[in-house]
Amino acid sequence: MASKDSTDGEKMKTQITIRHLPSLENVAEIKQSFNRHLHYTLAKDRNVATQRDHMVALSHTVRDHLFSRWIRTQQAYFDQDPKRVYYLSMEYMHGRTLTNAMINLGIKDQCDEAMYQLGLDMEEMQEKEVDAGLGNGGLGRLASCFLDSMATLALPAYGYGIRYEYGIFRQKVVNDRQVEFPDDWLANGNPWEQARPEYKVEVKFYGRPEPIDEACLHWKWVDTQTVVALAYDYPIPGYGNGVVNTMRLWSAKSPVSFDLSYFNHGDYIQAVCDRNLAENITRVLYPNDNFFEGKELRLKQEYFLVSASLQDIMRRYKKLKAKDASIAQEARKTFDEFPNYVAIQLNDTHPSLAVPELMRLLMDAENIGWDEAWAIVTRTVAYTNHTLLPEALERWPVELLDKLLPRHLMIIYEINARHLKEVEKRWPGNMDMMRRLSIVEEDGGKRINMAYLSIVASHAVNGVAAIHSELLKATMFKDFFELSPEKFQNKTNGITPRRWLLMCNPALSELISDKIGEEWVTDLYKLAKLKEYADNRSFVQAIADAKADNKRRLVSYLEKNLGVVVPVDSMFDVQVKRIHEYKRQLMNALHIITLYNRLKEQPELPVTPRVIMIGGKAAPGYHTAKEIIHLICRLSKVINSDPEIGDKLKVVYLENYRVSLAEKVIPATDLSEQISLASTEASGTGNMKFQANGALTIGTLDGANVEMREEMGDENIFVFGMTVDDVTALRKKGYKPM
């Protein structure tokens, strides 16, 4: 057993690097600030403070550094009045903030040294921070990566989302089956958020529209139910540039404390229930992101986000720095320049109600005519598509929209009527083309196709990988591409190397920086310089040693948290992502069965010991996905307890996979499984994270795997399975798997 001194030395080695020795002055200042927050923010002393208290005190210490830069950044934006990017997303998978903030601020080493001098364990403190899991998977994590990258590029950008009281559920495996528990991530408070009650806005539902003028161009929305949207801001620091951008999340509150008439009749319970109806809007994140569920609460959430965000965007646009130095600010009088100062990006179709809502605000609140308002919308809005799965596309029933958002349905109908006139001009008399291009679908009940609405209203439409963008043009949106080819483009997804290499893999990052400098942290193309060291034995061995250290840490975590013991000198074969049939965890399970049977039949077969790890959450209502989890967990029990197999094959189900667990798993992985059926995965970003951390990829030519192969070369990736053309040909022959 290692002595305490040697254990402390190993921890210190992971915390402090020779490259950035912290200055004593900064360390002393951080210690002083830490103790101040422990005493005056938390009202604790070292005798009674818990590890979580220490984490919160350090978070407030780092927050002080963030907030000063945050204020300066927002002041600069106000003074310069640049065009701003507004990213609207129903999901953000932010993970933990503390370590990422320390790194981007350039104070990680100082904080590590300060905590070490205070006798505190930084790694244990970091484990006390709760993940902000406000998303289901790749869509939300991409959004968070975008915010980090825009801040690092010093782009004036804002992320808008919902402050869900309960994020993506906590997954427990009970009797080999997934069981969902609520993720009460705000239960102990959140040191990173800053409430902004001064920016609250009202969001309306139900009611009916009434015309204001005889021409029926402008309307007022009456007899509505009102919900108050309260703003909570989160600082998003750029890397090493002093820029701190803003993520603003909205929380729903009742506009009145209680209905006093209920109290007069002694009905306290009804008063509380009515208040809860309004606040339920932001209570919980919907856990299905690859199946469209036409639920009223989900539609309320989507409209709540876009209405609150657009009102906030328009308020900020109107606010202008006065030319007269004696006056702090003045207001813009017109919206003529709105598209020159505002860019709104829709992260999938969830925020697509921004289109009719912006039209409503411009026409009914700002008294602008249709043509001018539509020109503003189409120059301002752009749309990112994230799926090729038809079942994931949002199609809202007309009856529900008419009940909940009657004015918006009117606007959508008018948008569609004018759009179809353009279609008629292009294809005179072609009723089939008009039917296919109509925003209003009438097969099986009247519904609004939100993807079509987004395309019609956007000046740019992008897919998230080259093959995905081409498939959109060739299949799902073929007719729209023929109508407006200039709109369609590709923007392949990416990841932030700050979190997914520099932060989660400090040992490898240090080795890279020793050889090629630190420019790679903001420009991954610089990693190409490592090619000249491919035959440097000492460098290659150092990389292998770093991988081994990461594997030892993961093995320790698995034993402590899951009670699973695996050999560290095995190949770590990993597939982590949401559980879904198209992602083919079932095929991985069949491969496990094949390996197991092969070893049972030939016990002396020489094999590389392998630990197969699979992790991810299944949507609570997705029976097949939950059965796949059940199968994998049963396989794990059978194989791991078979003495004849021993350490040749182990299977681990990674319970409650999330961002903070990914940060442990990815640096330790040897083989990354990216095995979706070609033509089903839009892009994927986990594939990039594994590659950046030195894992080899086995996968199909789907999503971003195609572009990864182009970058790394055929010799550095294991490709198998059908291509998109093969899948298309098979489907044309009438093949149906079920």
Side-chain angles (χ1 to χ4, degrees), residues 88-90 160-162 201 203 250 299-313 344 346 349-358 361 405 408:
L88 272 56
S89 179
M90 286 288 286
Y160 280 105
I162 290 180
V201 296
V203 178
W250 299 102
L299 183 59
K300 279 187 173 180
Q301 288 181 337
E302 293 182 358
Y303 178 65
F304 178 81
L305 165 65
V306 301
S307 180
S309 302
L310 286 172
Q311 290 181 66
D312 199 52
I313 291 167
I344 295 174
L346 308 180
T349 57
H350 311 134
S352 57
L353 283 167
V355 173
E357 174 66 357
L358 185 51
L361 290 170
L405 303 168
H408 298 75

Side-chain angles (χ1 to χ4, degrees), residues 190-343:
N190 181 359
W192 303 105
E193 70 179 11
Q194 180 65 41
R196 301 289 193 191
E198 67 272 25
Y199 295 130
K200 66 183 178 184
V201 296
E202 290 188 347
V203 178
K204 300 180 184 299
F205 298 96
Y206 304 109
R208 55 190 172 81
E210 287 186 350
I212 297 173
D213 50 34
E214 292 184 3
C216 295
L217 292 175
H218 307 287
W219 297 67
K220 60 181 177 180
W221 194 3
V222 299
D223 299 333
T224 57
Q225 292 183 14
T226 300
V227 177
V228 174
L230 295 182
Y232 289 82
D233 286 356
Y234 292 74
I236 307 294
Y239 177 77
N241 62 1
V243 171
V244 180
N245 282 340
T246 301
M247 176 174 69
R248 177 160 290 178
L249 303 182
W250 299 102
S251 180
K253 297 295 177 186
S254 175
V256 292
S257 296
F258 292 103
D259 188 332
L260 294 179
S261 65
Y262 287 123
F263 284 96
N264 295 336
H265 296 89
D267 198 348
Y268 168 77
I269 299 300
Q270 186 60 49
V272 173
C273 288
D274 280 5
R275 180 177 172 84
N276 285 342
L277 282 176
E279 299 177 1
N280 280 343
I281 291 174
T282 56
R283 192 79 70 197
V284 65
L285 166 75
Y286 263 81
N288 281 3
D289 69 339
N290 264 318
F291 290 101
F292 170 61
E293 287 191 307
K295 302 288 181 65
E296 184 172 326
L297 177 59
R298 176 66 170 184
L299 183 59
K300 279 187 173 180
Q301 288 181 337
E302 293 182 358
Y303 178 65
F304 178 81
L305 165 65
V306 301
S307 180
S309 302
L310 286 172
Q311 290 181 66
D312 199 52
I313 291 167
M314 292 172 77
R315 173 198 59 78
R316 190 177 292 110
Y317 167 78
K318 290 179 181 180
K319 191 168 67 173
L320 184 66
K321 185 178 181 182
K323 295 180 175 64
D324 185 345
S326 65
I327 304 172
Q329 67 181 55
E330 56 188 34
R332 282 193 177 91
K333 300 296 190 293
T334 73
F335 280 80
D336 297 347
E337 294 295 308
F338 192 75
N340 296 331
Y341 289 92
V342 174

Side-chain angles (χ1 to χ4, degrees), residues 270 299 303-304 308 393 435 472 486 488 491:
Q270 186 60 49
L299 183 59
Y303 178 65
F304 178 81
L393 289 180
R435 178 188 59 80
L472 289 179
E486 74 284 353
F488 288 81
K491 294 289 183 292

Side-chain angles (χ1 to χ4, degrees), residues 2-126:
S3 68
K4 182 181 183 301
D5 289 342
S6 65
T7 303
D8 286 347
E10 288 175 5
K11 287 181 178 177
M12 195 60 190
K13 181 181 175 183
T14 66
Q15 292 176 3
I16 303 298
T17 67
I18 298 174
R19 176 172 296 279
H20 299 293
L21 289 175
S23 68
L24 295 178
E25 296 83 0
N26 291 340
V27 171
E29 186 272 329
I30 287 171
K31 288 166 63 178
Q32 183 181 18
S33 180
F34 173 85
N35 285 322
R36 185 180 73 250
H37 279 296
L38 192 63
H39 294 161
Y40 298 115
T41 304
L42 298 174
K44 296 282 187 78
D45 63 25
R46 291 289 298 279
N47 294 319
V48 297
T50 64
Q51 283 281 17
R52 187 185 176 279
D53 293 328
H54 295 150
M55 180 274 294
V56 174
L58 180 58
S59 296
H60 279 280
T61 300
V62 175
R63 199 177 91 145
D64 291 345
H65 290 259
L66 267 178
F67 276 26
S68 60
R69 292 166 174 80
W70 199 8
I71 291 168
R72 287 199 298 271
T73 299
Q74 301 311 311
Q75 285 174 338
Y77 292 164
F78 180 67
D79 290 342
Q80 298 164 14
D81 195 25
K83 184 171 185 176
R84 294 168 168 90
V85 177
Y86 296 103
Y87 195 76
L88 272 56
S89 179
M90 286 288 286
E91 299 184 20
Y92 291 94
M93 286 288 280
H94 217 53
R96 294 170 175 168
T97 297
L98 177 57
T99 307
N100 185 72
M102 290 189 293
I103 287 173
N104 281 11
L105 291 172
I107 59 172
K108 174 71 165 62
D109 293 327
Q110 292 91 321
C111 289
D112 285 342
E113 174 66 18
M115 296 304 102
Y116 182 75
Q117 290 184 14
L118 290 170
L120 300 174
D121 189 307
M122 176 66 89
E123 291 184 15
E124 290 182 9
M125 290 167 60
Q126 290 166 335

Side-chain angles (χ1 to χ4, degrees), residues 144-197:
S144 294
C145 280
F146 268 139
L147 296 190
D148 175 279
S149 294
M150 287 190 287
T152 298
L153 291 168
L155 293 175
Y158 299 75
Y160 280 105
I162 290 180
R163 183 181 179 263
Y164 300 105
E165 188 175 329
Y166 295 94
I168 185 65
F169 61 85
R170 282 189 303 113
Q171 179 195 57
K172 294 284 288 181
V173 175
V174 180
N175 295 325
D176 301 322
R177 292 188 178 276
Q178 171 181 295
V179 179
E180 302 89 25
F181 293 88
D183 173 36
D184 193 3
W185 71 290
L186 293 170
N188 295 312
N190 181 359
W192 303 105
E193 70 179 11
Q194 180 65 41
R196 301 289 193 191

